[in-house]
Amino acid sequence: QLQLVESGGGLVQAGTSLRLSCAASGRAFKAYTMAWFRQAPGQEREFVAALTPSGDKTYYADSVKGRFTISRDNAKNMVYLQMNNLKPEDAAVYYCGARYYGVAPSAHEYDYWGQGTQVAVSS
């Protein structure tokens, strides 16, 4: 029903910035809560940020608050994650997720996922 494709990952130095993109298909995109999760090797997939279908409210994990910004462009079916002042602990595979209508902090509550994009941070 909904297809998601992430892009924009790469290797960066600590203290620099990166912007991730998530391209979504489907007419119903505007009805979905969108979120970013990340997963490091051997770790659980953890919540990073989310925003409501209209983009009027955003939510962030404490570890990224003040550094990361999630946004969406419903006219283009796009979601973004602007990551500033990256730290080595931010290194992970970042996934774009979608959940019909309501915001949720747990990965298992999301219905659709992209393939992930790798972010590596060197010190």
Side-chain angles (χ1 to χ4, degrees), residues 9-45:
L11 173 63
V12 298
Q13 282 195 323
T16 64
S17 299
L18 200 62
R19 188 172 86 154
L20 305 183
S21 298
C22 174
S25 67
R27 190 182 67 180
F29 173 75
K30 296 176 182 178
Y32 284 85
T33 285
M34 300 300 297
W36 289 94
F37 286 76
R38 66 189 183 188
Q39 188 167 21
Q43 303 295 310
E44 300 291 330
R45 188 168 297 188

Side-chain angles (χ1 to χ4, degrees), residues 20-113:
L20 305 183
S21 298
C22 174
S25 67
R27 190 182 67 180
F29 173 75
K30 296 176 182 178
Y32 284 85
T33 285
M34 300 300 297
W36 289 94
F37 286 76
R38 66 189 183 188
Q39 188 167 21
Q43 303 295 310
E44 300 291 330
R45 188 168 297 188
E46 67 173 355
F47 173 80
V48 175
L51 80 176
T52 54
S54 68
D56 63 328
K57 290 184 173 61
T58 57
Y59 305 85
Y60 298 94
D62 288 341
S63 59
V64 306
K65 195 172 298 181
R67 298 188 297 121
F68 290 11
T69 302
I70 187 170
S71 62
R72 68 192 294 163
D73 185 340
N74 285 348
K76 297 181 178 179
N77 280 20
M78 295 289 293
V79 183
Y80 307 98
L81 184 67
Q82 178 66 46
M83 304 184 292
N84 297 328
N85 191 24
L86 283 160
K87 303 176 179 180
E89 52 263 44
D90 294 320
V93 176
Y94 282 71
Y95 296 91
C96 178
R99 182 177 190 268
Y100 189 71
Y101 199 72
V103 174
S106 300
H108 67 83
E109 298 191 72
Y110 284 76
D111 303 306
Y112 302 98
W113 296 97

